[in-house]
């Protein structure tokens, strides 16, 4: 039986959804607002919300003090690189788990996910040592590899669920048609999984973009991405909330815009298979 | 050529033996139907022949060549799947052309071949559409087209019509047979529908629990079932079975006494099941007494369920009747249509 939805109920639901949405968005909004305040207004008590002297001086100061472009470029390379590398490894892995599962496939999936349950700091020391030995400290390559490994379980899990939805008979038909494994994955599976792969890519770029623990610990200057750019403004010399906010706003702007334009894709991808 | 020989082919999944070693030969140009209830191993057998599953033992030969470990595409087969398995991201044209492209056929030849197949199946108007925009019947044709385009030695069909509605299925069945008559290629057709098996097959292979129960023409399996299972599986309504005992060449069961004229040929005291098809029981003849339970008038014929002592039987009467529930009638079994099965071995007993 369909539930009766009254107008009143709908209005209530809408208000509730907006409320929750705003609550989640509020810290970001507050950061953006603060970035346009003077340092004095930023720490004013009671806080000012909209009626302050809007200023761009923080952005100018941030631009002057650090090279935003270089950090941005590092972020793009690290987030993009780790995502692409991850997809290249995850597609065959998810293919084998989805279409030629063994008795242990479920265990492997769970085991992979369990690595995400370990506090990252627990393996910081060994990884740091490995990085020193291999000369990967403060290199983009090192960060690409680490972030790829960190997010790989999630990429494989997501692709695995998408691939599970693809009927095996279609791949068998391709095999009967004479397609090699490479051709089967390239011409049949991948085009069918494009929506799933796209949302996996997006989510992973966002995760890698925002990843702070490893990027802060393994990079100092040369390879430092935007997370380090933000961190450099919470300095021991004193708190500069307005400048910190300006730096944060600049750091999240690209990913926010990317997320905004791809939200439809992202939502449909994340709820894929959830509603039948 | 397209002759298939299965030599002690078997298949096990883990510890479960789904197909015990079996032998089967399918001659070139034959239309063979694998039929059986779900879970009987018919699809697995087809997939073994296709090469989509590895055999656990035995040898598959195609035209005298050992194909047991040859990859699917190199066996010279084409398969039509139950779900059609069309490539959803490709147009109909690309679907049909895919196998040819993979094999490196020149573009203009592919073009020609696609058009030939599209003509044959009357799907030329659909060539630029995506599969999702086609009806079930059209999708089925495209799936056939994809198989035809490769000009294989052997066609494999895995319940290709089971997703169509009844009317469309009858049409598609006819088209398929017509096509087979024209191209004459060896075909293996898997179905759970015994009507499809009877109407389409030159040769019917009846399977149960992975074992071949009988191989024969539709008439052979209908008239001389190799065991009780075949008798009850082939034909609708199913064959009637009555358990009884042989005495002095007569079949004896509670309330029934049928002289088989086989006095010296059947051992006295043998426990048997007597099988008789519904249409081989004549009504209001003979001396077997029964009571009408239900009549199902189908227009051209009437199915009559009767009770005979403790046994219920189904009979088929070739016209309308005025019989009422509860009415007393007499039955006669056409003696030349009676089959007997040894209860102990399930083998037929010669009368």
């Amino acid at each position: 039986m369909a539930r009766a939805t009254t107008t009143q109920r709908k209005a209530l639901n809408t208000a509730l959804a907006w409320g929750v949405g705003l609550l989640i968005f509020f810290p970001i909004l507050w950061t953006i607002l603060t970035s346009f305040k003077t340092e004095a207004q930023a720490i004013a008590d009671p806080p000012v919300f909209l009626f302050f002297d809007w200023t761009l001086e923080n952005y100018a100061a941030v631009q002057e003090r650090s090279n935003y472009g270089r950090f941005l470029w590092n972020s793009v390379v690290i987030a993009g690189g780790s995502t692409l590398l991850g997809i290249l490894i995850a597609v065959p892995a998810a293919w084998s788990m989805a279409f030629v599962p063994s008795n242990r496939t479920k265990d492997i999936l769970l085991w992979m996910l369990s690595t995400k349950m370990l506090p990252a700091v627990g393996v910081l020391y060994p990884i740091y040592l490995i990085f020193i030995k291999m000369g990967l400290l403060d290199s983009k390559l090192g960060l690409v590899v680490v972030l790829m490994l960190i997010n790989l379980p999630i990429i494989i899990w997501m692709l695995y669920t998408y691939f599970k939805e693809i009927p095996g008979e279609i791949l068998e038909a391709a095999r009967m048609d004479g397609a090699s494994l490479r051709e089967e994955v390239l011409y049949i599976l991948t085009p069918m999984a494009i929506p799933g792969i796209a949302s996996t890519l997006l989510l992973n770029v966002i995760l890698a973009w925002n990843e702070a623990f490893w990027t802060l610990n393994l990079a100092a200057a040369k390879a430092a991405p935007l997370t380090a750019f933000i961190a450099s403004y919470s300095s021991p010399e004193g708190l500069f909330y307005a400048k910190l906010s300006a730096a944060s706003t600049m750091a999240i702007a690209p990913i926010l815009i990317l997320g905004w334009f791809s939200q439809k894709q992202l939502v449909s991808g994340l709820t894929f298979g959830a509603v039948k | 050529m397209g002759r298939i020989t299965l030599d002690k082919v078997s298949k096990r999944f883990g510890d479960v033996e789904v197909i015990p070693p079996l032998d089967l030969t399918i001659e070139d140009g034959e239309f063979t139907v694998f039929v059986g209830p779900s879970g009987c191993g018919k699809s697995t057998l087809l997939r073994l022949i296709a090469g989509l599953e590895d055999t656990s033992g035995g040898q598959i030969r195609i035209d005298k060549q050992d194909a047991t470990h040859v990859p699917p595409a190199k066996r010279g087969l084409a398969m039509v799947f139950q779900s059609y398995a069309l490539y959803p991201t490709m147009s109909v044209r690309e679907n049909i052309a895919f196998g040819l492209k993979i094999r490196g056929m020149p573009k203009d030849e592919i073009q020609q071949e696609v058009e030939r197949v599209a003509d044959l199946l009357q799907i030329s108007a659909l060539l630029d559409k995506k599969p999702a925009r086609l009806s079930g019947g059209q999708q089925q044709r495209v799936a056939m087209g994809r198989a035809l385009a490769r000009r294989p030695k052997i066609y494999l069909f895995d319940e290709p019509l089971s997703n169509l509605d009844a009317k469309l299925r009858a049409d598609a069945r006819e088209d398929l047979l017509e096509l087979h008559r024209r191209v004459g290629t060896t075909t293996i057709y898997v179905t759970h529908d015994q009507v499809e098996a009877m109407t389409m097959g030159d040769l019917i292979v009846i399977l149960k629990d992975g074992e071949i129960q009988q191989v024969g023409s539709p008439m052979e399996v209908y008239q001389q079932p190799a065991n009780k299972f075949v008798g009850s599986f082939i034909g609708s309504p199913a064959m009637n079975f009555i358990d009884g005992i042989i005495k002095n060449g007569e079949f004896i069961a509670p309330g029934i006494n049928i002289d088989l004229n086989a006095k010296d040929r059947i051992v006295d005291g043998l426990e048997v099941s007597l099988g008789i098809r519904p249409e081989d029981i004549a009504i209001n003849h003979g001396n077997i007494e029964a009571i009408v339970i239900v009549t199902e008038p189908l227009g051209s014929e009437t199915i009559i369920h009767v009770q005979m002592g403790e046994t219920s039987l189904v009979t088929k009467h070739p016209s309308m009747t005025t019989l009422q529930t509860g009415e007393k009638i007499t039955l006669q079994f056409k003696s030349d249509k009676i089959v007997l099965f040894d209860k102990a071995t399930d083998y037929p007993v010669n009368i």
Side-chain angles (χ1 to χ4, degrees):
Chain A
M1 200 182 84
R3 219 181 313 165
T5 40
T6 60
T7 319
Q8 207 180 1
R9 201 189 181 103
K10 258 189 207 164
L12 196 75
N13 280 343
T14 310
L16 207 68
W18 271 97
V20 172
L22 281 176
L23 203 68
I24 293 168
F25 183 65
F26 187 74
I28 295 169
L29 178 68
W30 192 252
T31 306
I32 295 170
L33 286 176
T34 308
S35 73
F36 292 104
K37 295 172 184 173
T38 63
E39 289 296 347
Q41 283 166 334
I43 53 169
D45 187 28
V48 284
F49 186 53
L50 281 175
F51 305 103
F52 54 83
D53 308 315
W54 291 69
T55 171
L56 285 172
E57 64 179 30
N58 300 309
Y59 287 93
V62 167
Q63 260 310 48
E64 205 172 302
R65 207 186 102 177
S66 33
N67 185 350
Y68 173 73
R70 192 171 55 85
F71 288 105
L72 177 70
W73 174 241
N74 283 347
S75 272
V76 169
V77 170
I78 293 165
S82 70
T83 302
L84 287 180
L85 192 61
I87 288 279
L88 282 181
I89 296 174
V91 167
W95 174 88
S96 73
M97 288 186 200
F99 298 113
V100 275
S102 72
N103 293 337
R104 291 257 169 259
T105 296
K106 287 261 158 49
D107 300 341
I108 292 173
L109 277 166
L110 205 66
W111 167 74
M112 280 194 328
L113 205 65
S114 74
T115 61
K116 299 291 290 176
M117 300 168 193
L118 178 82
V121 72
V123 288
L124 175 60
Y125 194 53
I127 287 185
Y128 198 84
L129 287 181
I130 292 170
F131 265 53
I132 291 175
K133 275 264 161 58
M134 299 185 72
L136 285 173
L137 220 51
D138 201 16
S139 73
K140 287 198 272 281
L141 176 66
L143 285 179
V144 163
V145 171
V146 161
L147 291 195
M148 183 275 288
L149 289 173
I150 296 295
N151 289 327
L152 195 57
I154 293 176
I155 307 184
I156 294 179
W157 258 91
M158 284 183 72
L159 288 181
Y160 169 76
T161 44
Y162 298 130
F163 287 179
K164 282 295 264 188
E165 301 280 322
I166 292 172
E169 282 198 345
I170 292 180
L171 300 186
E172 286 175 349
R175 233 166 288 161
M176 294 295 296
D177 264 345
S180 65
L181 183 57
R182 191 184 64 87
E183 289 162 334
E184 178 188 321
V185 171
L186 218 58
Y187 299 134
I188 308 293
L189 181 66
T190 308
M192 284 177 73
I194 285 281
I197 292 176
S199 56
T200 309
L201 275 171
L202 267 164
L203 184 77
N204 198 64
V205 164
I206 293 170
L207 286 175
W209 189 276
N210 293 332
E211 207 289 323
F213 181 79
W214 293 104
T215 49
L216 289 182
N217 279 302
L218 297 176
K222 251 178 36 238
L226 286 165
T227 46
F229 169 75
I230 301 173
S232 70
Y233 283 87
S234 70
S235 54
E237 305 102 72
L239 282 172
F240 298 98
Y241 279 133
K243 290 190 189 61
L244 179 65
S245 297
S248 296
T249 306
M250 285 167 81
I252 60 171
I255 207 77
L256 210 61
I257 292 164
L258 181 72
W260 183 271
F261 281 111
S262 56
Q263 58 176 323
K264 204 173 143 194
Q265 180 69 254
L266 204 56
V267 168
S268 75
L270 287 173
T271 52
F272 185 79
V275 188
K276 275 269 160 103
Chain B
M1 283 291 281
R3 183 176 195 263
I4 305 169
T5 313
L6 306 184
D7 191 356
K8 299 194 175 51
V9 168
S10 65
K11 177 66 183 173
R12 48 172 62 246
F13 290 114
D15 293 334
V16 187
E17 188 167 60
V18 286
I19 297 178
L22 64 76
D23 298 317
L24 182 67
T25 302
I26 294 162
E27 295 297 338
D28 180 47
E30 231 167 23
F31 196 113
T32 302
V33 178
F34 290 175
V35 67
S38 50
C40 71
K42 56 192 188 296
S43 283
T44 308
L45 195 57
L46 191 75
R47 291 168 59 82
L48 287 175
I49 295 171
L52 292 170
E53 302 278 356
D54 292 325
T55 53
S56 307
Q59 195 186 46
I60 297 171
R61 287 192 296 276
I62 297 172
D63 291 342
K64 289 180 187 159
Q65 279 180 330
D66 183 3
T68 317
H69 302 291
V70 176
K74 300 250 161 67
R75 295 188 183 195
L77 319 165
M79 185 154 167
V80 176
F81 293 86
Q82 183 174 12
S83 64
Y84 314 136
L86 300 177
Y87 311 130
T89 55
M90 300 183 191
S91 68
V92 169
R93 183 190 302 279
E94 290 165 324
N95 261 282
I96 297 173
F98 184 73
L100 307 175
K101 216 155 73 183
I102 290 284
R103 283 192 300 173
M105 190 188 260
K107 270 204 171 126
D108 48 331
E109 281 180 44
I110 294 181
Q111 174 87 8
Q112 274 177 18
E113 185 64 10
V114 170
E115 269 157 27
R116 177 190 76 94
V117 168
D119 259 6
L120 202 63
L121 294 169
Q122 297 159 7
I123 49 173
S124 302
L126 310 174
L127 281 177
D128 294 314
K129 289 192 178 173
K130 289 272 171 73
R133 306 214 18 228
L134 306 180
S135 71
Q138 289 170 333
Q139 289 185 9
Q140 200 271 331
R141 281 169 173 275
V142 176
M144 298 255 304
R146 198 169 56 178
L148 278 172
R150 296 190 34 221
R151 301 194 185 224
K153 285 189 284 190
I154 297 156
Y155 290 110
L156 308 177
F157 291 94
D158 189 3
E159 309 217 13
L161 308 183
S162 60
N163 288 342
L164 301 179
D165 60 54
K167 167 87 178 75
L168 217 52
R169 194 164 5 172
D171 290 349
R173 204 155 66 195
E174 230 161 86
D175 289 352
L176 221 159
L177 280 176
E178 171 62 29
L179 201 69
H180 178 252
R181 262 193 292 277
R182 254 196 287 175
V183 296
T185 309
T186 313
T187 302
I188 303 179
Y189 187 102
V190 164
T191 181
H192 63 270
D193 181 349
Q194 54 92 15
V195 177
E196 243 172 45
M198 292 291 285
T199 52
M200 299 182 84
D202 295 326
L203 191 74
I204 298 182
V205 178
I206 298 156
L207 288 147
K208 185 192 162 206
D209 301 331
E211 287 181 59
I212 294 178
Q213 304 294 311
Q214 190 171 6
V215 179
S217 71
M219 271 307 116
E220 275 165 12
V221 299
Y222 190 77
Q223 289 174 340
Q224 292 136 33
N227 55 34
K228 269 179 81 176
F229 170 76
V230 174
S232 60
F233 189 76
I234 298 288
S236 173
M239 186 178 249
N240 296 292
F241 291 101
I242 307 162
D243 289 346
I245 200 161
I246 299 291
K247 237 180 217 164
N248 288 330
E250 283 180 28
F251 174 82
I252 300 187
I256 313 171
N257 204 333
I258 299 170
D259 191 358
L260 298 170
N261 294 321
K263 196 165 180 178
D264 299 320
R265 279 171 288 148
I266 309 177
V267 189
D268 256 12
L270 187 70
E271 283 187 53
V272 294
S273 276
L274 178 146
I276 183 92
R277 297 230 172 248
E279 65 271 27
D280 297 327
I281 301 176
I283 286 175
N284 288 333
H285 289 283
N287 54 3
I288 303 169
E289 286 175 6
I291 296 169
V292 176
I293 303 296
V294 161
T295 60
E296 295 176 45
L298 300 177
S300 62
E301 60 195 24
T302 309
I303 310 287
I304 306 161
H305 297 254
V306 299
Q307 185 82 26
M308 198 183 63
E310 276 163 26
T311 320
S312 38
L313 295 179
V314 181
T315 73
K316 197 148 87 177
H317 195 69
S319 64
M320 301 291 270
T321 73
T322 53
L323 289 176
Q324 296 294 316
T325 299
E327 212 171 310
K328 279 192 179 155
I329 54 172
T330 57
L331 304 174
Q332 184 178 38
F333 294 180
K334 292 181 187 163
S335 56
D336 58 327
K337 297 293 166 88
I338 290 173
V339 285
L340 286 183
F341 298 98
D342 187 329
K343 274 203 86 175
T345 60
D346 199 26
Y347 286 129
V349 179
N350 283 323
I351 302 171

